[in-house]
């Protein structure tokens, strides 16, 4: 799974790196600012499958960053989960209006965060806009298509698509 974590708190980033790598989420990248996050998004060969985004950051807040992320191709419907120390309903509402899919308040319990990530990914997987990275391929279940790094498209049968979806979900289990 390809995850981007954006938070200006270095300790949070380090803890999340330890936690996510301990459950085999090894394709996780970290950014300390909105600018750094946008650079990682621009440089990514395939879209991130989930973004964890802090609300309170200097220069750009997470809420301001959401529409910027959504402008990139492949990010229109990527799950964005806000991480926030604020329990302010106004900020939470603003995050949803801006395009967030969920929020988790700090301090958070790791099993709750993991459950929220998985729930959002399951919901996204069912959408027509779902795109997943599988090795060197981009997998689009809704159109039964694999695309390699050179852009070559491989049509899949219904059975092949279901097998890849099953394997992708099985790989996501702890």
């Amino acid at each position: 799974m390809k995850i981007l974590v954006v938070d200006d708190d270095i300790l949070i980033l380090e803890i999340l790196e330890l936690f996510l790598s301990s459950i085999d989420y090894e394709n996780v990248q970290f950014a300390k600012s909105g600018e750094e996050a946008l650079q990682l998004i621009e440089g990514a060969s395939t879209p991130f499958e989930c973004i964890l985004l802090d609300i309170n950051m200097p220069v750009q807040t997470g809420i301001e960053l959401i529409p910027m992320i959504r402008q990139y191709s492949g990010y229109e419907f990527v799950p964005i989960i806000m991480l926030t120390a604020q329990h302010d309903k106004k900020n939470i509402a603003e995050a949803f209006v801006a395009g967030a899919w969920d929020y988790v308040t700090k301090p958070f319990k790791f099993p709750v965060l993991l459950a929220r990530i998985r729930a959002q990914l399951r919901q996204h997987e069912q959408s027509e806009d779902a795109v997943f990275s599988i090795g060197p391929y981009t997998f689009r279940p809704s159109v039964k298509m694999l695309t390699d790094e050179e852009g070559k498209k491989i049509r899949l049968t219904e059975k092949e698509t279901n097998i890849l979806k099953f394997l992708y979900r099985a790989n996501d289990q702890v």
Side-chain angles (χ1 to χ4, degrees):
M1 179 177 329
K2 192 171 179 181
I3 298 175
L4 175 61
V5 181
V6 186
D7 199 310
D8 62 324
D9 185 331
I10 303 298
L11 183 59
I12 294 277
L13 292 178
E14 289 174 356
I15 291 170
L16 284 171
E17 181 176 20
L18 286 171
F19 170 68
L20 293 170
S21 65
S22 75
I23 56 171
D24 296 326
Y25 282 26
E26 296 176 5
N27 197 358
V28 181
Q29 293 188 15
F30 300 89
K32 296 180 282 287
S33 69
E35 181 180 337
E36 191 176 333
L38 294 176
Q39 289 172 354
L40 288 171
I41 288 169
E42 285 178 16
S45 58
T46 58
F48 289 96
E49 297 164 54
C50 184
I51 299 173
L52 304 178
L53 181 59
D54 184 20
I55 287 182
N56 292 325
M57 294 188 296
V59 184
Q60 296 162 314
T61 68
I63 293 170
E64 294 168 339
L65 195 58
I66 294 170
M68 298 168 145
I69 292 170
R70 295 283 186 224
Q71 291 178 359
Y72 287 91
S73 177
Y75 288 91
E76 298 89 347
F77 301 102
V78 167
I80 296 177
I81 301 172
M82 304 306 293
L83 300 176
T84 178
Q86 296 184 358
H87 302 273
D88 181 351
K89 290 181 176 135
K90 181 179 180 245
N91 278 341
I92 294 166
E94 287 177 358
F96 282 123
V97 168
W101 283 23
D102 200 354
Y103 73 95
V104 176
T105 55
K106 297 176 186 175
F108 50 82
K109 304 251 186 247
F110 290 112
V112 171
L113 177 61
L114 182 59
R116 291 300 228 335
I117 292 170
R118 287 184 173 157
Q120 293 304 325
L121 288 171
R122 274 193 311 274
Q123 182 178 356
H124 179 60
E125 180 183 304
Q126 302 304 318
S127 79
E128 291 183 16
D129 303 301
V131 178
F132 303 103
S133 299
I134 299 178
Y137 298 96
T138 301
F139 174 45
R140 297 183 67 96
S142 66
V143 292
K144 300 179 185 93
M145 180 86 59
L146 275 179
T147 306
D148 69 14
E149 293 171 318
E150 297 170 1
K152 181 182 175 194
K153 296 181 179 187
I154 303 163
R155 278 266 177 223
L156 302 172
T157 65
E158 184 74 29
K159 189 172 195 172
E160 291 167 332
T161 300
N162 289 335
I163 289 169
L164 284 177
K165 284 168 63 174
F166 172 79
L167 291 174
Y168 183 82
R169 270 183 270 163
N171 188 43
D172 186 37
Q173 301 304 309
V174 174

